[in-house]
Protein backbone atom coordinates (compact mmCIF):
# COMPACT_ATOMS: atom_id res chain seq x y z
CA UNK A 1 0.00 0.00 0.00
CA UNK A 2 2.79 2.36 0.92
CA UNK A 3 4.60 1.55 -2.33
CA UNK A 4 1.52 2.34 -4.42
CA UNK A 5 1.06 5.61 -2.57
CA UNK A 6 4.67 6.58 -3.19
CA UNK A 7 4.34 5.66 -6.88
CA UNK A 8 1.19 7.77 -7.22
CA UNK A 9 2.83 10.70 -5.47
CA UNK A 10 5.85 10.35 -7.73
CA UNK A 11 3.65 10.40 -10.86
CA UNK A 12 1.84 13.50 -9.60
CA UNK A 13 5.15 15.17 -8.85
CA UNK A 14 6.49 14.38 -12.33
CA UNK A 15 3.29 15.73 -13.88
CA UNK A 16 3.62 18.90 -11.82
CA UNK A 17 7.25 19.26 -12.85
CA UNK A 18 6.35 18.82 -16.54
CA UNK A 19 3.58 21.42 -16.26
CA UNK A 20 5.95 23.79 -14.47
CA UNK A 21 8.62 23.30 -17.14
CA UNK A 22 6.09 23.95 -19.90
CA UNK A 23 4.88 27.05 -18.10
CA UNK A 24 8.44 28.29 -17.67
CA UNK A 25 9.20 27.64 -21.34
CA UNK A 26 6.00 29.41 -22.34
CA UNK A 27 6.82 32.38 -20.12
CA UNK A 28 10.36 32.51 -21.52
CA UNK A 29 8.95 32.54 -25.06
CA UNK A 30 6.60 35.39 -24.15
CA UNK A 31 9.38 37.26 -22.36
CA UNK A 32 11.70 36.90 -25.36
CA UNK A 33 8.91 38.13 -27.61
CA UNK A 34 8.43 41.19 -25.43
CA UNK A 35 12.17 41.79 -25.28
CA UNK A 36 12.49 41.63 -29.08
CA UNK A 37 9.57 44.03 -29.47
CA UNK A 38 11.11 46.43 -26.95
CA UNK A 39 14.37 46.50 -28.92
CA UNK A 40 12.46 47.26 -32.11
CA UNK A 41 10.56 50.06 -30.37
CA UNK A 42 13.75 51.65 -29.08
CA UNK A 43 15.31 51.46 -32.55
CA UNK A 44 12.52 53.54 -34.16
CA UNK A 45 13.55 57.06 -35.15
CA UNK A 46 10.43 57.99 -37.11
CA UNK A 47 6.92 58.22 -35.71
CA UNK A 48 5.47 56.52 -38.81
CA UNK A 49 7.76 53.51 -38.27
CA UNK A 50 6.78 53.34 -34.62
CA UNK A 51 3.07 53.47 -35.50
CA UNK A 52 3.57 50.67 -38.05
CA UNK A 53 5.31 48.57 -35.41
CA UNK A 54 2.50 49.08 -32.89
CA UNK A 55 -0.39 48.54 -35.29
CA UNK A 56 1.00 45.82 -37.54
CA UNK A 57 3.88 43.99 -35.84
CA UNK A 58 2.10 43.81 -32.49
CA UNK A 59 -0.88 42.19 -34.15
CA UNK A 60 1.23 39.43 -35.74
CA UNK A 61 3.75 39.01 -32.92
CA UNK A 62 1.15 38.63 -30.18
CA UNK A 63 -1.46 36.92 -32.38
CA UNK A 64 -4.12 39.55 -31.86
CA UNK A 65 -7.36 40.19 -33.74
CA UNK A 66 -7.01 43.96 -33.74
CA UNK A 67 -4.79 46.77 -32.47
CA UNK A 68 -5.82 50.42 -32.29
CA UNK A 69 -4.10 53.50 -30.96
CA UNK A 70 -5.20 56.85 -29.53
CA UNK A 71 -2.77 59.77 -29.31
CA UNK A 72 -3.14 63.14 -27.65
CA UNK A 73 -1.94 65.64 -30.26
CA UNK A 74 -2.93 69.17 -29.19
CA UNK A 75 -0.45 70.97 -31.47
CA UNK A 76 -0.95 68.54 -34.41
CA UNK A 77 2.75 67.65 -34.39
CA UNK A 78 1.97 63.95 -34.83
CA UNK A 79 -0.56 64.75 -37.58
CA UNK A 80 2.10 66.60 -39.59
CA UNK A 81 4.62 63.78 -39.13
CA UNK A 82 2.13 61.07 -40.17
CA UNK A 83 1.00 62.57 -43.47
CA UNK A 84 1.07 59.83 -46.10
CA UNK A 85 0.98 56.79 -43.78
CA UNK A 86 -0.88 53.71 -45.13
CA UNK A 87 -4.66 53.91 -45.02
CA UNK A 88 -4.84 50.84 -42.74
CA UNK A 89 -2.67 52.60 -40.15
CA UNK A 90 -4.60 55.83 -40.46
CA UNK A 91 -7.84 53.94 -39.88
CA UNK A 92 -6.56 52.34 -36.67
CA UNK A 93 -5.15 55.61 -35.32
CA UNK A 94 -7.15 58.40 -33.67
CA UNK A 95 -5.61 61.77 -32.79
CA UNK A 96 -7.18 63.95 -30.11
CA UNK A 97 -6.67 67.68 -29.64
CA UNK A 98 -8.43 67.61 -26.26
CA UNK A 99 -7.53 65.15 -23.47
CA UNK A 100 -11.10 64.63 -22.18
CA UNK A 101 -11.95 61.46 -24.13
CA UNK A 102 -8.63 59.86 -23.24
CA UNK A 103 -8.98 60.66 -19.56
CA UNK A 104 -12.46 59.12 -19.49
CA UNK A 105 -10.95 55.75 -20.46
CA UNK A 106 -8.58 55.74 -17.49
CA UNK A 107 -10.15 57.22 -14.37
CA UNK A 108 -7.32 55.69 -12.30
CA UNK A 109 -4.58 55.93 -14.95
CA UNK A 110 -4.11 52.15 -14.72
CA UNK A 111 -3.94 49.35 -17.29
CA UNK A 112 -7.31 47.70 -17.85
CA UNK A 113 -8.05 44.21 -19.15
CA UNK A 114 -10.98 41.87 -19.57
CA UNK A 115 -14.15 41.41 -21.57
CA UNK A 116 -15.45 44.48 -23.36
CA UNK A 117 -18.90 45.97 -23.19
CA UNK A 118 -20.64 46.47 -26.53
CA UNK A 119 -20.22 50.23 -26.30
CA UNK A 120 -16.52 50.08 -25.47
CA UNK A 121 -15.86 47.53 -28.22
CA UNK A 122 -17.54 49.77 -30.80
CA UNK A 123 -15.49 52.71 -29.54
CA UNK A 124 -12.07 51.02 -29.48
CA UNK A 125 -12.51 48.51 -32.32
CA UNK A 126 -15.21 49.92 -34.63
CA UNK A 127 -14.10 47.74 -37.56
CA UNK A 128 -13.76 44.49 -35.61
CA UNK A 129 -16.98 43.30 -33.94
CA UNK A 130 -15.42 39.95 -33.01
CA UNK A 131 -13.10 41.34 -30.34
CA UNK A 132 -14.32 39.85 -27.05
CA UNK A 133 -11.49 40.74 -24.67
CA UNK A 134 -8.83 43.41 -24.67
CA UNK A 135 -5.98 45.03 -22.82
CA UNK A 136 -6.12 48.83 -22.65
CA UNK A 137 -2.66 50.28 -22.11
CA UNK A 138 -2.43 53.89 -20.88
CA UNK A 139 0.56 55.72 -22.34
CA UNK A 140 1.80 58.16 -19.71
CA UNK A 141 4.70 60.63 -19.76
CA UNK A 142 5.55 62.88 -16.83
CA UNK A 143 2.19 62.11 -15.19
CA UNK A 144 0.30 63.11 -18.34
CA UNK A 145 -1.80 60.70 -20.40
CA UNK A 146 -0.47 61.03 -23.97
CA UNK A 147 -2.21 58.05 -25.55
CA UNK A 148 -3.89 54.68 -25.28
CA UNK A 149 -2.96 51.40 -26.97
CA UNK A 150 -5.66 48.74 -27.32
CA UNK A 151 -4.88 45.04 -27.87
CA UNK A 152 -7.96 43.07 -28.92
CA UNK A 153 -8.51 39.30 -29.05
CA UNK A 154 -11.38 37.08 -30.18
CA UNK A 155 -10.81 34.79 -27.19
CA UNK A 156 -12.82 36.06 -24.23
CA UNK A 157 -10.28 34.47 -21.86
CA UNK A 158 -7.20 35.99 -23.53
CA UNK A 159 -7.24 39.05 -21.30
CA UNK A 160 -8.59 38.75 -17.78
CA UNK A 161 -8.54 41.02 -14.74
CA UNK A 162 -7.03 38.09 -12.80
CA UNK A 163 -3.84 37.98 -14.90
CA UNK A 164 -0.65 39.81 -14.00
CA UNK A 165 0.36 42.42 -16.56
CA UNK A 166 3.70 43.52 -15.14
CA UNK A 167 5.53 43.39 -18.42
CA UNK A 168 2.70 45.04 -20.35
CA UNK A 169 2.84 47.87 -17.81
CA UNK A 170 6.58 48.13 -18.40
CA UNK A 171 5.94 48.14 -22.14
CA UNK A 172 3.51 51.04 -21.70
CA UNK A 173 6.35 53.14 -20.31
CA UNK A 174 8.70 52.15 -23.14
CA UNK A 175 6.10 52.97 -25.82
CA UNK A 176 5.35 56.33 -24.20
CA UNK A 177 9.03 57.30 -24.16
CA UNK A 178 9.48 56.16 -27.77
CA UNK A 179 6.47 58.18 -28.99
CA UNK A 180 7.68 61.31 -27.25
CA UNK A 181 11.25 60.85 -28.54
CA UNK A 182 10.14 60.30 -32.14
CA UNK A 183 7.89 63.37 -32.12
CA UNK A 184 10.57 65.56 -30.51
CA UNK A 185 13.40 64.39 -32.80
CA UNK A 186 11.41 64.61 -36.01
CA UNK A 187 9.86 67.96 -35.09
CA UNK A 188 13.31 69.37 -34.29
CA UNK A 189 14.69 68.04 -37.56
CA UNK A 190 11.69 69.44 -39.43
CA UNK A 191 12.17 72.86 -37.84
CA UNK A 192 15.76 72.89 -39.08
CA UNK A 193 14.60 72.43 -42.70
CA UNK A 194 11.38 74.49 -42.75
CA UNK A 195 11.11 78.23 -43.25
CA UNK A 196 9.03 79.36 -40.24
CA UNK A 197 7.32 82.23 -42.07
CA UNK A 198 6.06 80.43 -45.18
CA UNK A 199 6.03 76.76 -44.10
CA UNK A 200 8.01 75.59 -47.16
CA UNK A 201 11.55 74.20 -47.14
CA UNK A 202 14.42 76.56 -46.40
CA UNK A 203 17.59 77.00 -48.43
CA UNK A 204 19.46 74.41 -46.39
CA UNK A 205 16.87 71.76 -47.21
CA UNK A 206 16.85 72.83 -50.87
CA UNK A 207 20.59 72.11 -51.13
CA UNK A 208 19.93 68.51 -50.08
CA UNK A 209 16.85 68.26 -52.30
CA UNK A 210 18.58 69.35 -55.50
CA UNK A 211 21.57 67.03 -54.98
CA UNK A 212 19.21 64.10 -54.42
CA UNK A 213 17.01 64.97 -57.41
CA UNK A 214 19.97 65.44 -59.77
CA UNK A 215 21.19 62.00 -58.73
CA UNK A 216 17.73 60.54 -59.28
CA UNK A 217 17.45 62.20 -62.70
CA UNK A 218 20.75 60.56 -63.68
CA UNK A 219 19.52 57.19 -62.48
CA UNK A 220 16.09 57.35 -64.13
CA UNK A 221 17.25 59.33 -67.17
CA UNK A 222 14.37 61.76 -66.66
CA UNK A 223 14.51 65.53 -66.93
CA UNK A 224 14.50 67.81 -63.90
CA UNK A 225 13.29 71.40 -64.09
CA UNK A 226 13.91 74.27 -61.70
CA UNK A 227 11.86 77.44 -61.21
CA UNK A 228 13.04 80.63 -59.52
CA UNK A 229 10.06 82.77 -58.45
CA UNK A 230 10.62 86.34 -57.29
CA UNK A 231 7.99 88.85 -56.11
CA UNK A 232 8.25 92.02 -58.17
CA UNK A 233 9.00 95.29 -56.34
CA UNK A 234 8.92 93.61 -52.94
CA UNK A 235 10.88 96.44 -51.33
CA UNK A 236 8.16 98.83 -52.42
CA UNK A 237 5.54 96.63 -50.72
CA UNK A 238 7.50 96.77 -47.46
CA UNK A 239 8.02 100.53 -47.80
CA UNK A 240 4.40 101.34 -48.66
CA UNK A 241 2.51 98.81 -46.50
CA UNK A 242 4.99 97.82 -43.78
CA UNK A 243 6.96 94.64 -43.06
CA UNK A 244 3.96 92.87 -41.50
CA UNK A 245 2.14 93.14 -44.81
CA UNK A 246 5.30 92.05 -46.61
CA UNK A 247 5.38 88.93 -44.42
CA UNK A 248 1.70 88.35 -45.21
CA UNK A 249 2.51 88.52 -48.94
CA UNK A 250 5.30 85.95 -48.50
CA UNK A 251 3.02 83.60 -46.54
CA UNK A 252 0.30 83.95 -49.17
CA UNK A 253 2.72 83.13 -51.97
CA UNK A 254 4.07 80.17 -49.99
CA UNK A 255 0.55 78.79 -49.58
CA UNK A 256 -0.17 79.34 -53.27
CA UNK A 257 2.96 77.41 -54.24
CA UNK A 258 1.91 74.50 -52.03
CA UNK A 259 -1.52 74.50 -53.68
CA UNK A 260 -0.24 74.80 -57.26
CA UNK A 261 2.39 72.07 -57.31
CA UNK A 262 2.42 68.29 -57.07
CA UNK A 263 3.36 66.43 -53.89
CA UNK A 264 6.52 65.26 -55.63
CA UNK A 265 7.60 68.84 -56.40
CA UNK A 266 9.98 70.46 -53.91
CA UNK A 267 9.30 74.04 -52.83
CA UNK A 268 11.78 76.21 -50.92
CA UNK A 269 12.16 79.78 -49.84
CA UNK A 270 15.55 80.44 -51.37
CA UNK A 271 16.06 83.84 -49.76
CA UNK A 272 14.16 87.07 -49.12
CA UNK A 273 11.26 87.23 -51.56
CA UNK A 274 12.66 84.51 -53.83
CA UNK A 275 11.36 80.92 -53.97
CA UNK A 276 12.85 77.91 -55.76
CA UNK A 277 10.86 74.92 -57.00
CA UNK A 278 12.19 71.60 -58.28
CA UNK A 279 9.97 69.72 -60.75
CA UNK A 280 11.04 66.07 -61.17
CA UNK A 281 10.19 64.38 -64.49
CA UNK A 282 9.39 67.74 -66.07
CA UNK A 283 10.63 68.89 -69.48
CA UNK A 284 11.57 72.46 -70.40
CA UNK A 285 8.30 72.95 -72.31
CA UNK A 286 6.24 71.63 -69.40
CA UNK A 287 8.19 73.80 -66.93
CA UNK A 288 7.43 76.94 -68.93
CA UNK A 289 3.73 76.02 -69.00
CA UNK A 290 3.71 75.40 -65.22
CA UNK A 291 5.54 78.68 -64.63
CA UNK A 292 3.08 80.64 -66.78
CA UNK A 293 0.12 79.15 -64.90
CA UNK A 294 1.79 80.12 -61.65
CA UNK A 295 2.49 83.66 -62.88
CA UNK A 296 -1.19 84.11 -63.72
CA UNK A 297 -2.24 82.70 -60.35
CA UNK A 298 0.05 85.15 -58.53
CA UNK A 299 -1.31 88.02 -60.61
CA UNK A 300 -4.85 87.06 -59.56
CA UNK A 301 -4.04 87.13 -55.83
CA UNK A 302 -5.51 89.88 -53.69
CA UNK A 303 -3.43 90.78 -50.64
CA UNK A 304 -4.68 93.04 -47.86
CA UNK A 305 -2.54 95.19 -45.63
CA UNK A 306 -3.02 95.38 -41.85
CA UNK A 307 -5.72 98.01 -42.35
CA UNK A 308 -7.62 95.82 -44.83
CA UNK A 309 -6.74 97.76 -47.98
CA UNK A 310 -6.32 95.43 -51.00
CA UNK A 311 -3.41 95.32 -53.43
CA UNK A 312 -2.04 92.84 -55.96
CA UNK A 313 1.26 91.04 -56.51
CA UNK A 314 3.12 90.06 -59.62
CA UNK A 315 6.07 87.72 -59.93
CA UNK A 316 8.90 87.12 -62.36
CA UNK A 317 9.84 83.49 -62.98
CA UNK A 318 12.96 81.94 -64.46
CA UNK A 319 13.10 78.28 -65.50
CA UNK A 320 15.89 75.88 -66.36
CA UNK A 321 15.90 72.17 -67.14
CA UNK A 322 18.47 69.46 -66.50
CA UNK A 323 18.53 66.68 -69.10
CA UNK A 324 20.81 63.71 -68.22
CA UNK A 325 21.27 62.92 -71.93
CA UNK A 326 23.18 66.20 -72.35
CA UNK A 327 25.68 65.39 -69.62
CA UNK A 328 28.80 63.56 -70.73
CA UNK A 329 31.04 63.35 -67.68
CA UNK A 330 30.90 60.56 -65.14
CA UNK A 331 28.50 60.67 -62.21
CA UNK A 332 30.36 61.31 -58.98
CA UNK A 333 29.86 63.70 -56.08
CA UNK A 334 31.88 66.48 -57.68
CA UNK A 335 30.07 66.17 -61.01
CA UNK A 336 26.63 66.09 -59.34
CA UNK A 337 27.47 69.17 -57.30
CA UNK A 338 28.64 70.94 -60.44
CA UNK A 339 25.44 70.05 -62.30
CA UNK A 340 23.32 71.26 -59.37
CA UNK A 341 25.13 74.58 -59.37
CA UNK A 342 24.72 74.85 -63.13
CA UNK A 343 20.96 74.22 -62.96
CA UNK A 344 20.57 76.91 -60.30
CA UNK A 345 22.78 79.32 -62.22
CA UNK A 346 20.63 78.86 -65.30
CA UNK A 347 17.38 79.46 -63.41
CA UNK A 348 18.87 82.53 -61.75
CA UNK A 349 20.02 83.87 -65.13
CA UNK A 350 16.54 83.25 -66.58
CA UNK A 351 14.98 85.11 -63.65
CA UNK A 352 17.32 88.03 -64.25
CA UNK A 353 16.24 88.12 -67.90
CA UNK A 354 12.56 88.03 -66.90
CA UNK A 355 13.07 91.03 -64.64
CA UNK A 356 15.24 92.86 -67.16
CA UNK A 357 12.55 92.36 -69.81
CA UNK A 358 9.90 94.15 -67.75
CA UNK A 359 8.93 91.78 -64.86
CA UNK A 360 5.69 89.80 -64.44
CA UNK A 361 6.80 87.31 -67.05
CA UNK A 362 8.40 83.89 -67.54
CA UNK A 363 11.82 83.39 -69.09
CA UNK A 364 13.46 80.02 -69.80
CA UNK A 365 17.14 79.30 -70.28
CA UNK A 366 18.07 76.08 -72.07
CA UNK A 367 20.91 73.79 -70.98
CA UNK A 368 23.81 73.17 -73.32
CA UNK A 369 25.80 69.95 -73.21
CA UNK A 370 28.20 69.79 -70.28
CA UNK A 371 31.40 68.24 -71.59
CA UNK A 372 33.95 68.83 -68.87
CA UNK A 373 33.53 68.52 -65.15
CA UNK A 374 35.76 71.55 -64.55
CA UNK A 375 34.12 73.75 -67.18
CA UNK A 376 33.22 77.23 -65.95
CA UNK A 377 29.59 77.53 -64.92
CA UNK A 378 29.37 81.03 -66.31
CA UNK A 379 30.63 79.75 -69.69
CA UNK A 380 28.05 76.96 -69.75
CA UNK A 381 25.25 79.41 -68.97
CA UNK A 382 26.28 82.35 -71.07
CA UNK A 383 28.36 80.72 -73.75
Amino acid sequence: MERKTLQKQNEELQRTIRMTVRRIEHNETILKRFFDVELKLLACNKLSDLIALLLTDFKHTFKLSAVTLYLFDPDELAKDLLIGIPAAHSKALTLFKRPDELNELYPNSELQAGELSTGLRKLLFPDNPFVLSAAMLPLIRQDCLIGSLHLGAQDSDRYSIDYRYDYLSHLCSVISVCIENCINQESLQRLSTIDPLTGVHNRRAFSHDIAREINRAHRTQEQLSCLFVDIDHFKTINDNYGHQTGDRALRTLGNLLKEQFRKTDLISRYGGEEFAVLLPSCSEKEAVCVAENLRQAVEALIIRDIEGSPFRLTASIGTSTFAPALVIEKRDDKALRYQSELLLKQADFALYEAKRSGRNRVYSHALKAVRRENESIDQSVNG
Side-chain angles (χ1 to χ4, degrees):
M1 182 72 178
E2 184 177 340
R3 184 174 179 181
K4 287 184 178 180
T5 301
L6 289 174
Q7 185 176 359
K8 185 176 180 181
Q9 290 176 344
N10 183 49
E11 289 174 353
E12 290 179 354
L13 179 61
Q14 288 181 2
R15 184 166 59 252
T16 301
I17 291 173
R18 285 196 299 271
M19 290 176 62
T20 303
V21 169
R22 282 198 295 269
R23 189 178 299 114
I24 291 172
E25 290 174 346
H26 178 68
N27 289 340
E28 284 183 346
T29 300
I30 293 176
L31 190 63
K32 183 180 183 304
R33 196 178 295 161
F34 273 112
F35 183 70
D36 291 342
V37 164
E38 185 174 333
L39 289 179
K40 289 181 180 179
L41 287 168
L42 293 170
C44 286
N45 294 317
K46 295 180 63 178
L47 185 62
S48 58
D49 293 341
L50 182 64
I51 297 299
L53 181 62
L54 294 175
L55 298 180
T56 302
D57 287 26
F58 264 45
K59 185 176 179 180
H60 297 307
T61 301
F62 299 115
K63 297 179 173 57
L64 298 164
S65 300
V67 179
T68 60
L69 176 67
Y70 287 175
L71 282 183
F72 178 46
D73 188 31
D75 300 319
E76 297 191 339
L77 296 177
K79 181 180 178 180
D80 289 342
L81 297 174
L82 294 174
I83 292 174
I85 63 172
H89 295 169
S90 183
K91 204 171 184 181
L93 172 67
T94 304
L95 301 177
F96 294 99
K97 296 188 71 172
R98 295 171 56 84
D100 306 357
E101 294 182 67
L102 273 177
N103 291 331
E104 288 176 4
L105 293 176
Y106 300 97
N108 300 317
S109 299
E110 294 178 355
L111 185 150
Q112 300 178 41
E115 292 189 36
L116 295 175
S117 66
T118 302
L120 195 56
R121 186 183 66 242
K122 287 182 178 179
L123 178 66
L124 302 182
F125 305 100
D127 298 319
N128 199 319
F130 302 107
V131 170
L132 298 181
S133 67
M136 297 167 55
L137 284 59
L139 306 178
I140 300 172
R141 278 296 290 157
Q142 299 176 350
D143 297 325
C144 292
L145 187 64
I146 66 167
S148 176
L149 182 65
H150 320 119
L151 312 179
Q154 291 184 9
D155 183 359
S156 60
D157 296 325
R158 171 70 181 272
Y159 294 109
S160 166
I161 57 174
D162 298 325
Y163 290 170
R164 289 173 60 91
Y165 293 99
D166 296 349
Y167 205 84
L168 269 182
S169 297
H170 168 73
L171 200 60
C172 287
S173 300
V174 174
I175 293 170
S176 301
V177 170
C178 290
I179 288 174
E180 186 179 64
N181 285 346
C182 284
I183 291 177
N184 288 343
Q185 289 179 22
E186 282 197 271
S187 296
L188 185 62
Q189 183 179 11
R190 189 171 182 269
L191 284 174
S192 70
T193 60
I194 296 295
D195 174 58
L197 178 63
T198 61
V200 301
H201 279 183
N202 57 24
R203 188 164 178 169
R204 175 186 177 187
F206 183 78
S207 297
H208 292 287
D209 291 340
I210 192 169
R212 183 182 66 247
E213 292 304 321
I214 286 281
N215 196 3
R216 180 180 297 169
H218 264 294
R219 189 173 63 252
T220 61
Q221 289 296 293
E222 293 180 336
Q223 296 184 60
L224 171 68
S225 291
C226 177
L227 271 58
F228 268 9
V229 184
D230 191 273
I231 298 176
D232 294 328
H233 304 295
F234 186 69
K235 184 178 183 302
T236 303
I237 294 174
N238 280 332
D239 292 342
N240 292 344
Y241 301 102
H243 288 278
Q244 284 184 313
T245 301
D247 287 349
R248 181 178 298 177
L250 289 170
R251 282 194 297 269
T252 302
L253 180 55
N255 290 333
L256 177 66
L257 291 171
K258 286 185 282 188
E259 292 171 1
Q260 288 280 314
F261 291 100
R262 305 167 298 181
K263 290 184 177 180
T264 54
D265 298 331
L266 302 162
I267 308 163
S268 302
R269 185 182 176 192
Y270 199 70
E273 68 274 20
E274 190 172 75
F275 293 80
V277 185
L278 290 175
L279 308 173
S281 306
C282 182
S283 68
E284 180 185 4
K285 183 177 180 181
E286 291 169 331
V288 170
C289 182
V290 168
E292 178 57 28
N293 289 338
L294 175 61
R295 186 198 65 78
Q296 293 178 22
V298 172
E299 194 174 30
L301 285 174
I302 298 177
I303 312 294
R304 295 186 181 274
D305 65 13
I306 57 176
E307 296 178 352
S309 299
F311 65 94
R312 292 186 182 274
L313 297 177
T314 62
S316 299
I317 305 175
T319 80
S320 62
T321 300
F322 169 78
L326 296 177
V327 180
I328 299 172
E329 77 274 6
K330 61 183 179 180
R331 186 180 75 185
D332 56 25
D333 289 343
K334 188 176 180 181
L336 294 176
R337 185 168 59 251
Y338 168 72
Q339 290 153 23
S340 299
E341 292 172 356
L342 179 58
L343 183 64
L344 293 178
K345 188 75 175 180
Q346 289 174 315
D348 191 47
F349 177 76
L351 176 62
Y352 170 79
E353 287 296 312
K355 285 187 169 292
R356 191 178 65 85
S357 302
R359 292 185 170 84
N360 190 24
R361 62 193 63 208
V362 174
Y363 190 91
S364 176
H365 194 276
L367 171 67
K368 296 182 179 180
V370 179
R371 298 185 178 279
R372 297 191 304 276
E373 186 178 306
N374 60 352
E375 182 180 6
S376 165
I377 294 178
D378 288 332
Q379 289 177 346
S380 297
V381 173
N382 300 319

